[in-house]
Amino acid sequence: MSGAAFVTLIAASSGLFAIGLFGLLLRRTVILQLVSLELMLAAGGFAFVVAGARHGGAEGQGMFVLVLTVAAAEAAVALVLFLRLRALADSADSDAFDRLRG
Amino acid sequence: MILVGLILLPLIGGLALPLVARFAPGAEDRPVRLATLGVMAAQAALAVAALFGAGAGDGRWLALHRTPWASGVGIELHLAGDGLSLGLVTLTAALGAVSTLASWREIRRRVVLFHLCICGTVTAATGVFLSFDLLLFVFFWEGMLVPAFILIALYGHGARERSALKFLIYNQVGGLALIAAVLAMGAGASPPVFDAFALAEVERSPAAALWLLLGMSAAFLVKLPAVPVHGWLPDAHTDAPTAGSILLAGVLLKTGAYGLYRFPPMLFPEAMVQVAPYAMALGLAGILYGGLLACGQTDAKRLIAYTSVSHMGFVLMGIFALNPLARTGAAVEMFAHAFSASALFLVVGALHARLGTHRMDALGGLQATAPRLAGGFAFFAAAALAMPGTANFVGEALVILGTFQVAWPLGLGAAAALVLSVVYATLLLRNTVFGEPGTRPTEDADLREAAAMLALAAAVLVVGLQPQMLIELLTPAQEAVGRALEAASGGG
Amino acid sequence: MAEALLALIPAPALIGFALLLGWPAPLSARMEGRLGAAAAGGSAALALGLAAWLFATGSGAIRVEVAPFVVTGGLEAMLALRFDALSAVASGTVGVVGVLVVLYAAEFMPREGETRLRRLFALLSLFLAGMFAVVLADDLVALFLGWEIVGLCSYFLIGWRSREAAAADAARQAFVVTRIGDALLLAGIAALFARFGTTSLPELFGAVEGAWRGGATLAAGAIGALVLAGALAKSAQVPFHVWLPDAMAGPTPVSALLHAATMVAAGAFLLARLAPLTEAAPGIGAATAWLGLAGALGAGLAALAQRDVKRLLAWSTVSQIGFMFLALGAGAPGAAMAHFVTHAAFKAALFLAAGLVSREAGHERRLDRLGGARRRGPLGFWVFAAAALALGGAPWVTAGFWSKELVLAGALGAGPLGPALWAGAVAASAVTAAYAGRAALALARGGAPREGATDGPGAAEAAAVLVLAALALGLGPAAGPVAEAVGGAATPHLGAAAAGIGVAAPLAGFSAALLAEAGWAPRAPRLAAAARGGFGVDAIRGAVAGGFGRMVHAVSGDPLARGMHALAGGVPRLAATFASGAADGAGPRAPGGPEAWRRRGAERLARFARAPGDDLLDRLWRGVAAGAAGMGRMAGRAQGGRLRGYLAGSAIGAALLLLLGWAAA
């Protein structure tokens, strides 16, 4: 893979990460925060794949599979937590869960 | 050995109190109270015996004791007592007895713990007065805080927890500086040594000596209390139970005074000479500030607390006047204030036990309803205003005379204290002895209270009319300080 | 032998005090009176006996050191007593008047309805012991001991009827004002000790002789001023005169003994005793004389305007002691002491007789309601009249005339300003005669006797007042010898003209009183009102008390707190404007927003200013503690509890770290 393409793709990955980060910070709905989180993880995995393609070898794709697995597990746990929190606080607003303040 | 006995007696006596309560239960926990009285009496007798030569001492000290303890780090059990320290130990034991008598009707629950704390305070104070190994001194110094804290926080009234916490924080911060200084001195030497006499021989740079002096004195100044770090005293004295106030005013304040009297001249005489003018000014500020504030109080106990600040200002000024007359006055004032302030707290405490308040607008007319209490107020207020014939006059007059010899403006300012003291003493009397009695009946002093008042009054009068006896007891300590200071300013 | 007697003089009084205070069993009223009389009588007898011995043998002073008091660090303060002419005169006076007043009180007080008199006689005995200590002391510390004890007893005696607010307040006022003088006196003693290394009077006089004669120094003047201030306060002289009129709230015997005959005259005695010191101090003599004259004239005018008989006598006392100070300042201590003796006699007689007259009139004290005293109670009236004549200085027949002549002679001979002093003193003596006459005539006026006649005076009361009246009339010939014995120098001779004026002045005063009684008095209501109020006593008292109150208030931190509160009013406003511009996501932390902030801040500061008798420095420390708590709360706000906040923080932090790493690389 050529250097220019590599840089472009890494930039794209960073852009995805940034979109995910801002989405996480600016979104108040927990579901959408989880979506943004998935986006950040995907971006990271994308960067791994691109790097792997650059250097040849299967490590990149292997890391991607790892990332995917982690994302899946984390999504499952997160969704359960979200359901519990929503039941407790009757709201899907992330800002409503602030009892650990002070 | 007698010195070790003086420390162990109240300690073991106090720890034995739960056993007394367990195996000799009586109405109103009488056995526990009587046991505490017995311990205090024995302690006083032991101290007097030491004063009269029962301890083994060389010419300078009446009793000495020195055994190694943790020689690897330079800690020994080094105790020494002369007229000043053994006199203060006797005073502590006597006030322990007085406070036990004072709390006979006042303390009804958790009596064992209460008396254990009294014994604990007496033990720690005795240790402070007798220790000459600095780490041991620090141990007892900090040890005084715990039983006093319990006394205020558990048995007091008003905002007692807050006052106890304030007391603790103020004195702990001071203690921190003390510990830092002691460790710097002791661990700094190689091999480490914490014996005060040995540390006195060490050569130090003037800057180091000054910092060490300030660090050590910080704790003493907070305990004394010197203005501006006196803030713990009014709250602690006011909200403490009667016994707590008596021990605080009579004993704990004297530990601070004793520390300032004994250790700076021994360890840092040149630095002491350097800071003397500022310390004297601080003393004068305390005298005037405490006096002025006392004049504006509406609560009898708080008024007496502020008079303590004022009187201890005299002690501070006397110590740092670097003048034999003033020093003697400071030492006499230590005893005089202990007698008079304890007695005033005793009388106010008696009123509080009867009426549930010590606000001055609720008291009054005692001359008509309770003449013995009124007489007590009158006499001890006269002592507080330094009426000639009382010990307080001897102390304050000697300080004024000595201060006039070194710095007459400060002496003139101190004489103003005589006017302030009349204003606040008559304010107290106007609201307690004079005036119309309230609607609630007030019974007069009972036998115990009268006995305690008479004992303290006798002490005030004896020292007031024949001060020479006490002065001769305190002279060796006073002269030793004088010698140390002279060597510093002469040679250095 | 004589030394032993000297040492024992205060003993009977002290023993009486101890017994009266400490006797465990109840005492009958007669026993109380007897003990008091024995205490006073014993000391008086010893003093008079020793005085007789001194006179008979013609020996000089004797001295005895009873016991050491404080010996340390260069100070050798001994309880030393001395008996010379001055001591003899003063202690004799104190003793005689003391015994007579105690005897009177033993009968008078029960008739006033007072039953528990133990404390009264105990305090009177202690007072007499202290007074003897003052007049016999040969060491400044011993003198100061007695001096202060006398002040303490005065406090408890004025406030003896402890339930009365007026008495309690008057007692407090007296103690505070005299203590100001006492503090200055102690400073003077300390300064003397610092300068000369001793507190023993003979040694001091010798040292002063050497060091201060010839050259006047600032130190000498300062020390003299301090001693003078002590004397002025105790004697209720200008500017410390505010306490004496109010001190009349005490019982009549107390007023007679303390505030007429003995305690207030102690200031004059002090100046007489310390004459070698004050004479060597520059300007002090002049100050004493002029202040004395101001007192004599001013207080005399005030007495003239009084409506209450006891207050009149109080102002009269200030005035008469002013005469004594005048003589002392003029360098005639003998004349001052002669007047001390005669004043003690006639003033005590006046007070005691006034007590009788007042009781017979139903406890009335207003002069215009005491008329008819002549018929109600002849004894009281005639004693009062005789003593009033003595007070006014009726020529030749009263002791007061002779002692006043000596004072006038002393004033005339006092250096360049002598004639001015003398003229003022003459005017004052005319005023004295005027008010004395006015008082006596007010009692003599017709007027119906009151209903319910009371019994006449008892035996003891009668005896006391008669003896005092006899002394007031008969001590005249003794004035001269007393003055010579005390003063040492021969009394100066008045020229014929001056002597004549000295006779005319009291006559003029009495005539003025007669004219006023007949209705030909000038009307000057505003001047009279000012004089009645002592020419601004209330104003002085108010200013001093107000100033002191402000000092105490300032130290409590209230003014500072109020100032801070005013300043801090600006802060919530500042915070509110800041808060309105913050990011949306943050949301209002405090419920209600900036309004609530301002309210809570104000509440907190208001709590600051509410505690009475609070402590400025403690408030500052509490402020520090509150600031620490506030910072803690502010730091706590970073823990918003919200996920997004924490994430934002981490993100920004990570970005910064990356930036830093990239910059460093």
Side-chain angles (χ1 to χ4, degrees), chain C residues 77-171:
Chain C
M78 314 290 268
L79 293 174
L81 302 178
R82 145 194 219 80
F83 206 81
D84 57 7
L86 180 59
S87 311
V89 167
S91 61
T93 310
V94 169
V96 169
V97 178
V99 165
L100 292 172
V101 169
V102 170
L103 286 170
Y104 175 97
E107 207 163 57
F108 180 81
M109 297 303 289
R111 287 174 171 219
E112 293 283 294
E114 309 278 0
T115 46
R116 285 144 57 178
L117 297 174
R118 232 168 122 159
R119 202 164 45 100
L120 181 71
F121 288 113
L123 286 166
L124 285 172
S125 305
L126 183 64
F127 168 81
L128 284 171
M131 211 48 223
F132 278 117
V134 170
V135 302
L136 297 173
D138 203 24
D139 181 297
L140 280 175
V141 174
L143 191 149
F144 193 75
L145 240 96
W147 187 265
E148 287 269 75
I149 296 231
V150 156
L152 182 73
C153 292
S154 163
Y155 171 69
F156 284 116
L157 281 168
I158 296 175
W160 188 72
R161 295 193 198 99
S162 59
R163 296 170 80 143
E164 282 176 26
D169 293 328

Side-chain angles (χ1 to χ4, degrees), chain C residues 17-491:
Chain C
F17 164 69
L19 284 175
L20 281 161
L21 204 62
W23 194 259
L27 289 170
S28 73
R30 288 178 76 203
M31 206 52 215
E32 291 167 353
R34 285 200 187 136
L35 266 174
S43 294
L46 285 169
L48 288 170
L50 207 55
W53 173 88
L54 193 73
F55 179 66
T57 59
S59 46
I62 56 167
R63 187 172 193 275
V64 68
E65 279 178 7
V66 177
F69 186 56
V70 174
V71 178
T72 180
L75 173 68
E76 271 187 39
M78 314 290 268
L79 293 174
L81 302 178
R82 145 194 219 80
F83 206 81
D84 57 7
L86 180 59
S87 311
V89 167
S91 61
T93 310
V94 169
V96 169
V97 178
V99 165
L100 292 172
V101 169
V102 170
L103 286 170
Y104 175 97
E107 207 163 57
F108 180 81
M109 297 303 289
R111 287 174 171 219
E112 293 283 294
E114 309 278 0
T115 46
R116 285 144 57 178
L117 297 174
R118 232 168 122 159
R119 202 164 45 100
L120 181 71
F121 288 113
L123 286 166
L124 285 172
S125 305
L126 183 64
F127 168 81
L128 284 171
M131 211 48 223
F132 278 117
V134 170
V135 302
L136 297 173
D138 203 24
D139 181 297
L140 280 175
V141 174
L143 191 149
F144 193 75
L145 240 96
W147 187 265
E148 287 269 75
I149 296 231
V150 156
L152 182 73
C153 292
S154 163
Y155 171 69
F156 284 116
L157 281 168
I158 296 175
W160 188 72
R161 295 193 198 99
S162 59
R163 296 170 80 143
E164 282 176 26
D169 293 328
R172 185 171 186 220
Q173 180 185 233
F175 205 6
V176 172
V177 176
T178 52
R179 231 333 160 83
I180 299 177
D182 300 344
L184 292 170
L185 179 61
L186 184 65
I189 295 176
L192 278 170
F193 175 73
R195 174 74 179 79
F196 295 114
T198 178
T199 56
S200 159
L201 285 181
E203 291 177 28
L204 266 174
F205 293 155
V208 163
E209 183 77 34
W212 285 354
R213 288 275 174 216
T217 64
L218 199 59
I223 294 179
L226 289 170
V227 171
L228 176 63
L232 288 172
K234 198 64 122 196
S235 291
Q237 291 299 294
V238 175
F240 296 105
H241 55 290
V242 300
W243 66 270
L244 192 57
D246 292 329
M248 297 298 110
T252 300
V254 168
S255 304
L257 183 59
L258 272 73
H259 304 125
T262 48
M263 178 177 124
V264 290
F269 171 83
L270 180 74
L271 289 177
R273 176 65 93 196
L274 296 182
L277 287 174
T278 50
E279 276 166 16
I284 296 301
T288 312
W290 286 102
L291 283 171
L293 182 62
L297 264 177
L301 288 171
L304 195 55
Q306 292 303 314
R307 294 186 182 137
D308 175 313
V309 64
K310 274 184 90 172
R311 281 186 90 93
L312 184 149
L313 292 176
W315 281 110
S316 164
T317 304
V318 177
S319 173
Q320 293 299 299
I321 297 179
F323 276 98
M324 292 181 219
F325 274 64
L326 172 58
L328 285 161
M337 288 314 289
H339 201 57
F340 171 91
V341 176
T342 63
H343 175 258
F346 63 67
K347 196 45 75 61
L350 277 168
F351 266 107
L352 298 185
L356 292 176
V357 166
S358 169
R359 183 177 75 212
E360 283 152 8
H363 293 105
E364 187 56 66
R365 277 164 57 158
R366 282 182 63 109
L367 276 171
D368 50 9
R369 303 215 188 115
L370 283 171
R374 192 158 38 117
R375 278 185 286 159
R376 268 197 304 273
L379 178 72
F381 170 73
W382 286 113
V383 167
F384 191 93
L389 278 177
L391 168 60
W396 300 301
V397 296
T398 59
F401 171 75
W402 293 105
S403 59
K404 206 164 294 179
E405 284 301 287
L406 287 169
V407 170
L408 290 173
L412 194 56
L417 283 169
L421 283 172
W422 173 84
V426 165
S429 61
V431 171
T432 308
Y435 69 69
R438 173 175 170 255
L441 288 167
L443 264 56
R445 254 178 238 154
R450 284 183 106 79
E451 300 307 319
T454 49
D455 316 317
E461 291 170 340
V465 295
L466 281 171
V467 169
L468 285 168
L471 287 171
L473 295 175
L475 271 178
V482 162
E484 270 194 56
V486 170
T491 44

Side-chain angles (χ1 to χ4, degrees), chain C residues 563-579 594-595 597-602 604-605 634:
Chain C
M564 280 172 56
H565 191 184
L567 263 176
V571 172
R573 251 174 280 138
L574 199 66
T577 46
F578 188 73
E595 253 322 301
W597 282 355
R598 189 179 311 142
R599 204 184 344 112
R600 265 184 301 123
R604 225 171 280 138
L605 281 166
M634 265 200 323

Side-chain angles (χ1 to χ4, degrees), chain B residues 166 170 228 230 289 293 297 306 325 367 385-386 388 401 404-405 415 418 422-423 426 430 434-436 464 467-468, chain C residues 69-72 119 148 155-156 159 162-163 165 169 172 176 179 183 190 193 555 613-618 621:
Chain B
K166 200 168 174 183
Y170 262 93
H230 66 286
Y289 188 75
L293 273 166
Q297 295 304 315
Y306 277 110
L325 212 55
Q367 184 65 57
L385 58 85
L401 282 171
F404 252 92
Q405 286 178 316
L418 265 75
V422 154
V423 178
T426 51
R430 176 74 181 83
F434 292 92
E436 284 291 342
Q468 202 52 30
Chain C
F69 186 56
V70 174
V71 178
T72 180
R119 202 164 45 100
E148 287 269 75
Y155 171 69
F156 284 116
S162 59
R163 296 170 80 143
D169 293 328
R172 185 171 186 220
V176 172
R179 231 333 160 83
F193 175 73
V555 163
D614 210 343
D615 181 340
L616 171 62
L617 291 171
D618 190 40
W621 285 117

Side-chain angles (χ1 to χ4, degrees), chain C residues 633-659:
Chain C
R633 269 194 300 273
M634 265 200 323
R637 292 221 200 104
Q639 303 292 324
R642 291 182 301 170
L643 185 62
R644 294 197 303 146
Y646 297 150
L647 284 173
S650 323
I652 296 173
L656 278 173
L657 276 174
L658 282 173
L659 263 172

Side-chain angles (χ1 to χ4, degrees), chain B residues 81 175 217 265 431 485:
Chain B
S217 306
N431 284 298
L485 286 170

